[in-house]
Amino acid sequence: MNKNELYPKVFTWLFVGLLVTFLTGYCLSINEEMVYNLVSTVPYWLLIVIELGVAIFFSVRISKMSKITASICYLIYSFITGITFSTIFIVYNLSSIMFVFLVTAITFLIFAIIGYTTKKDVSGWGSFLMMALLAVIVTSIVNIFIKSSTMDLIITLISVVIFLGYVIYDMKNVERLALVNSEAGPIYGAFQLYLDFINIFVDLLKLLGNSDN
């Protein structure tokens, strides 16, 4: 599969995933009572566990996965993320969410173009970015107990930089995934870029978003 066929497929699936997530979050947020009942009934950690399970299954089985199975995994993940996003639509102003989404989209597009056009070999970035991300996760857990606003700001800024690096890395990685599995590879490539976009959006929302409460 050449690049002219591959990347339109990847970005179509990326758009579909983001559409499912944001529509789900917005539609649920219209009924705040339902969201509160859902959050109180279904433990937040359970949603996270399901997301992790889908992501791990996706990554482990990608070489042998059919297009239909990959599509289902991706859409399930996008839907569950949408459920968790319903609280974002309640907490933050809609205009603020739309502004941050636009900033995220523009920033993401710039780094995606860099990833698409660069001739630099970024295959070695994977392990570095993963170690940096693990360090951010561990530090974030520690900061839950310390409750330092300064540390939270630093963690968020570093997280944005890490996921922007992931955008470049994953744009290059799409081509390798298509070689591994020409049917499911583009969907998994879209899934990885989807994760980058979502994490950048959440981080920028923390930095730039205006809360209703």
Side-chain angles (χ1 to χ4, degrees), residues 59-125:
S59 62
V60 170
R61 297 289 300 173
I62 185 60
S63 62
K64 300 178 180 179
M65 190 175 287
S66 68
K67 182 178 180 179
I68 294 176
T69 304
S71 303
I72 292 172
C73 286
Y74 180 48
L75 293 175
I76 288 175
Y77 191 98
S78 301
F79 176 72
I80 294 174
T81 303
I83 295 175
T84 62
F85 261 43
S86 61
T87 56
I88 287 178
F89 283 93
I90 293 174
V91 172
Y92 291 92
N93 299 327
L94 183 59
S95 59
S96 179
I97 293 173
M98 293 174 66
F99 169 73
V100 173
F101 182 90
L102 180 61
V103 172
T104 304
I106 293 172
T107 307
F108 179 91
L109 182 60
I110 291 171
F111 280 82
I113 291 172
I114 293 173
Y116 180 81
T117 58
T118 185
K119 303 299 181 183
K120 182 179 179 61
D121 180 13
V122 298
S123 58
W125 287 22

Side-chain angles (χ1 to χ4, degrees), residues 1 6 9-14 58 62 65-75 174 177-178 181-194:
M1 186 183 297
L6 175 61
K9 286 185 178 181
V10 170
F11 276 87
T12 298
W13 277 107
L14 173 61
F58 210 164
I62 185 60
M65 190 175 287
S66 68
K67 182 178 180 179
I68 294 176
T69 304
S71 303
I72 292 172
C73 286
Y74 180 48
L75 293 175
V174 162
L177 291 170
N181 188 328
S182 60
E183 291 294 321
I187 301 174
Y188 186 67
F191 174 67
Q192 290 184 318
L193 289 169
Y194 165 91

